[in-house]
Amino acid sequence: MGSKLVTIQRHIMEQQASHPEATGALTRLLWDLILAIKVINREVRQAGLADVLGATGAQNVSGDRVQKLDEFAQDRIFKAMDHGGHLCCMASEERAEIIPIPDRFPKGKYVLLYDPLDGSSNIDANVTIGTIFSIHRKRSSGVNGTLEDCLQRGRDQAAAGYVIYGSSTMLVYTTGQGVHGFTLDPTIGEFLLSHPDIRCPNKGKIYSVNEGNWNTWDPAMRDYVTYLKEQDPATGRPYTTRYIGSLVADFHRNLLYGGIFLYPADCRDPKKPKAKLRLLYEAAPLSMIAEQAGGAASTGRERILDVAPGELHQKVPVAIGSQADVALYEEFVKAGKTPDRIRAAQAARA
Ligand code: AHG
Ligand code: MN
Ligand code: MN
């Protein structure tokens, strides 16, 4: 961190200044969200002392076991964001339907979509978890937000970001003007600019995937991972595996160090591939961050930011991280190439 202290509030305001047409609504919306994040952070930091660990006994719409902290974070974000007058509706991984703004509060021109707590299976083991958010402009003409306002392509996001409750708490965000990271100074309760203009290395040495799913992958995915385990022509060494099981944490590490995170579909029934990660709350916001940092994000066949959502809890296969790594993965998937053919193609190019 340099000698000049820049709070996240000041940073957001300065970014807004480069848009003379901006009304300040997005700035104030993000400020409200930061407050909710600080409250969630306080609770996460007390996990183990206060009674916030463990499951609630319920399942969410995707069939995941809901943890107490999932519900706490869901409630905090909703309560911090329902009355600010900047949102027309919200949608969350933890709620089956769109979340209306209560009648008594004013409505605004933005939509907030979020994963209140990411990596929740890791909570009880004190492993890094996170929060992911995505903000869209309202499209429909009425006062209240509609499903149409939520089902927008990732490329139309007005802002996106995530928080990582790690050895320190960081907030990383973009409004389409690069990616900027802030670290919470707990002694003053402020997020301070610590990682200005984050750039993702063009190629990495790390791959992150739940390899236990090997038997569920299609052959192109297996070929790709086999290829990564062989000697990388760029380094003379195979790639390294790092997998935390919290998307935010795996993504954040690869964003800084370079590398690729993969969550391909379960292809055991080739007619019905089943993806795991949610387009609106996980894949799209992190894809905007990746691209804004010079990285890439793909389903293997399509840029994630171009995927048109058909439903709130739609899932997509995800390959995200360094541009060259994602491009090579796409070559495997699209062309169905085998490692030998890829090597031959690379040799021919060299
Ligand atoms: P969430 O905790 O929000 O339900 O997300 C869990 C996600 C993501 O964080 C992680 O990358 C992935 O699930 C891990 O899945 P596996 O346990 O199947 O590897
Ligand atoms: Mn998640
Ligand atoms: Mn979650």
Side-chain angles (χ1 to χ4, degrees):
M1 209 180 297
S3 56
K4 206 170 109 212
L5 295 184
V6 180
T7 64
I8 190 165
Q9 281 87 352
R10 167 173 287 272
H11 194 270
I12 293 169
M13 222 158 59
E14 284 175 357
Q15 295 241 315
Q16 181 205 319
S18 61
H19 288 276
E21 74 290 355
T23 60
L26 181 60
T27 296
R28 288 193 295 274
L29 187 169
L30 289 168
W31 288 11
D32 289 350
L33 191 57
I34 290 163
L35 181 61
I37 295 301
K38 286 183 187 170
V39 176
I40 296 169
N41 177 68
R42 185 186 63 195
E43 214 66 17
V44 167
R45 295 290 167 212
Q46 293 194 357
L49 298 172
D51 182 28
V52 290
L53 296 182
T56 61
Q59 284 191 348
N60 71 12
V61 60
S62 295
D64 308 321
R65 293 173 68 223
V66 177
Q67 306 293 315
K68 287 187 199 166
L69 266 180
D70 285 321
E71 257 319 290
F72 177 84
Q74 164 60 35
D75 191 55
R76 268 308 125 200
I77 294 178
F78 172 69
K79 287 200 176 122
M81 305 308 295
D82 68 349
H83 59 282
H86 310 304
L87 295 176
C88 60
C89 68
M90 302 181 230
S92 159
E93 182 186 287
E94 298 298 338
R95 292 291 177 269
E97 310 292 341
I98 72 171
I99 309 170
I101 301 299
D103 286 342
R104 62 186 185 282
F105 296 132
K107 315 294 181 294
K109 58 178 184 177
Y110 288 100
V111 183
L112 174 68
L113 305 121
Y114 56 98
D115 176 355
L117 211 73
D118 174 67
S120 43
S121 69
N122 279 322
I123 295 172
D124 287 358
N126 212 351
V127 175
T128 298
I129 51 183
T131 294
I132 311 173
F133 61 91
S134 159
I135 296 166
H136 277 280
R137 292 173 199 88
K138 181 168 181 285
R139 297 277 173 214
S140 62
S141 51
V143 175
N144 293 311
T146 63
L147 194 56
E148 174 200 345
D149 296 311
C150 298
L151 299 183
Q152 298 191 54
R153 286 183 171 85
R155 66 184 185 216
D156 296 323
Q157 287 170 105
Y162 61 86
V163 186
I164 172 163
Y165 311 99
S167 42
S168 62
T169 298
M170 272 193 78
L171 193 155
V172 176
Y173 88 102
T174 182
T175 52
Q177 301 170 82
V179 175
H180 310 282
F182 299 78
T183 301
L184 182 66
D185 181 336
T187 60
I188 57 171
E190 297 278 9
F191 279 101
L192 300 175
L193 182 61
S194 53
H195 296 65
D197 200 16
I198 296 173
R199 304 299 299 166
C200 181
N202 181 52
K203 180 185 171 316
K205 299 176 200 150
I206 296 173
Y207 75 99
S208 308
V209 69
N210 184 342
E211 215 157 334
N213 292 331
W214 178 275
N215 287 321
T216 72
W217 296 344
D218 74 8
M221 174 65 190
R222 288 185 214 166
D223 281 351
Y224 176 69
V225 171
T226 302
Y227 177 79
L228 297 180
K229 291 176 177 182
E230 292 174 6
Q231 191 170 296
D232 175 8
T235 63
R237 302 183 54 192
Y239 273 57
T240 291
T241 316
R242 291 283 184 273
Y243 191 71
I244 295 169
S246 292
L247 173 62
V248 162
D250 282 308
F251 173 79
H252 181 70
R253 182 202 49 245
N254 293 2
L255 181 73
L256 298 182
Y257 295 174
I260 185 166
F261 172 94
L262 300 136
Y263 213 117
D266 175 338
C267 292
R268 278 173 295 180
D269 179 353
K271 284 195 213 99
K272 276 196 203 147
K274 267 174 62 183
K276 166 149 188 180
L277 296 177
R278 287 141 285 221
L279 175 59
L280 294 177
Y281 320 113
E282 297 175 317
L286 296 187
S287 297
M288 181 179 184
I289 298 268
E291 287 200 7
Q292 281 288 317
S298 170
T299 64
R301 300 185 178 279
E302 189 182 5
R303 179 186 178 222
I304 289 178
L305 291 181
D306 287 340
V307 176
E311 54 176 333
L312 274 184
H313 296 277
Q314 183 167 329
K315 318 266 168 63
V316 276
V318 171
I320 190 165
S322 292
Q323 203 172 88
D325 291 304
V326 174
L328 184 63
Y329 174 67
E330 281 186 328
E331 277 188 55
F332 273 80
V333 173
K334 284 186 188 159
K337 284 178 177 164
T338 65
D340 278 350
R341 274 191 239 148
I342 292 278
R343 264 194 299 275
Q346 284 191 333
R349 256 187 245 148

